[in-house]
Amino acid sequence: AQSVSQHNHHVILSEAASLELGCNYSYGGTVNLFWYVQYPGQHLQLLLKYFSGDPLVKGIKGFEAEFIKSKFSFNLRKPSVQWSDTAEYFCAVTRRGNNAGNMLTFGGGTRLMVKP
Amino acid sequence: EAGVAQSPRYKIIEKRQSVAFWCNPISGHATLYWYQQILGQGPKLLIQFQNNGVVDDSQLPKDRFSAERLKGVDSTLKIQPAKLEDSAVYLCASIGGQSSYNEQFFGPGTRLTVL
């Protein structure tokens, strides 16, 4: 079974600081990778996803993530955060292939607070 | 298009009571998931439906949890009897096709507190 680790549980940044959230997964086969965001009081929303091709993927609101296969990592980055980025961020994977079921395995989440 | 609907949004019960949650997926979405999100953790899959059939319920605590999707549209998740450790947000998600490239859409969740 696959698992996902997010190394930072809480991150506090000032506005305009750069952000990098770590995500590592363990699974020997091919995976699809996702970052979801949950703003306070709102439901989970997809930020970005990687299926294949260019390992640097760009998502909404200026976020990007880089898939490094050799490191089993899919770190999330943003060059300059805003107060409105305050939220909880979840990395997730699905196995790719027949009968994979699209079942998401989530990391434990990183709670980001951006100070104005 | 309307999103995934869930009700109730909040529920407080005492341990050993029963509770049920309802989910209506996005119209036309054949696959439906229930997740449990305990405070401070990421969501954990409980059960997956494809139309009205169960695809995977390996992580569902079947001694107390049950779920159904009788007509292949909306779904209910039941806990009977509830334990303190069942306090969590219960999320419903749906997906439009069987391809692993399709995005799951999540509902707002039901926050359950067991006293």
Side-chain angles (χ1 to χ4, degrees):
Chain A
Q2 65 266 31
S3 65
V4 180
S5 297
Q6 292 182 241
H7 317 298
N8 314 100
H9 297 291
H10 293 90
V11 173
I12 301 175
L13 296 173
S14 298
E15 274 194 316
S18 64
L19 170 72
E20 180 160 3
L21 301 182
C23 172
N24 286 89
Y25 67 94
S26 65
Y27 179 65
T30 306
V31 295
N32 298 322
L33 297 152
F34 305 81
W35 276 97
Y36 280 83
V37 61
Q38 190 167 28
Y39 297 103
Q42 297 188 27
H43 56 274
L44 278 166
Q45 302 171 43
L46 183 67
L47 258 186
L48 49 77
K49 59 190 176 186
Y50 172 80
F51 293 147
S52 64
D54 188 344
L56 184 63
V57 293
K58 296 191 183 299
I60 59 172
K61 304 186 180 185
F63 286 91
E64 64 180 31
E66 184 176 13
F67 171 51
I68 302 179
K69 188 175 181 179
S70 60
K71 295 185 177 180
F72 297 89
S73 70
F74 190 55
N75 292 352
L76 181 71
R77 299 195 292 248
K78 186 171 183 179
S80 177
V81 294
Q82 301 171 320
W83 176 78
S84 57
D85 293 325
T86 294
E88 190 156 18
Y89 294 82
F90 294 94
C91 182
V93 302
T94 61
R95 290 181 290 121
R96 199 186 307 172
N98 293 335
N99 300 318
N102 293 317
M103 291 172 286
L104 286 164
T105 300
F106 284 88
T110 297
R111 195 176 293 272
L112 171 66
M113 179 183 294
V114 180
K115 297 185 294 184
Chain B
E1 63 182 1
V4 177
Q6 290 188 247
S7 67
R9 291 295 309 275
Y10 304 91
K11 189 73 177 179
I12 301 174
I13 62 172
E14 295 189 349
K15 59 183 179 183
R16 291 188 288 274
Q17 286 187 319
S18 301
V19 65
F21 314 126
W22 175 81
C23 170
N24 192 20
I26 292 172
S27 178
H29 281 194
T31 307
L32 183 149
Y33 307 82
W34 283 101
Y35 291 85
Q36 179 193 56
Q37 186 177 12
I38 294 172
L39 186 66
Q41 300 180 20
K44 184 188 81 171
L45 179 74
L46 292 174
I47 189 167
Q48 177 189 356
F49 289 95
Q50 179 74 23
N51 296 309
N52 62 348
V54 174
V55 174
D56 189 312
D57 63 357
S58 57
Q59 299 189 78
L60 188 73
K62 298 180 188 63
D63 58 333
R64 297 183 300 106
F65 286 65
S66 64
E68 59 184 19
R69 194 185 184 199
L70 294 176
K71 296 182 179 179
V73 180
D74 55 349
S75 175
T76 56
L77 176 69
K78 296 179 182 177
I79 308 175
Q80 182 178 8
K83 293 186 175 181
L84 296 176
E85 59 261 36
D86 298 332
S87 293
V89 175
Y90 291 85
L91 298 168
C92 181
S94 69
I95 198 167
Q98 296 189 40
S99 168
S100 59
Y101 301 100
N102 294 331
E103 175 186 346
Q104 286 189 32
F105 292 89
F106 284 82
T110 296
R111 183 176 298 275
L112 173 68
T113 301
V114 182
L115 303 175

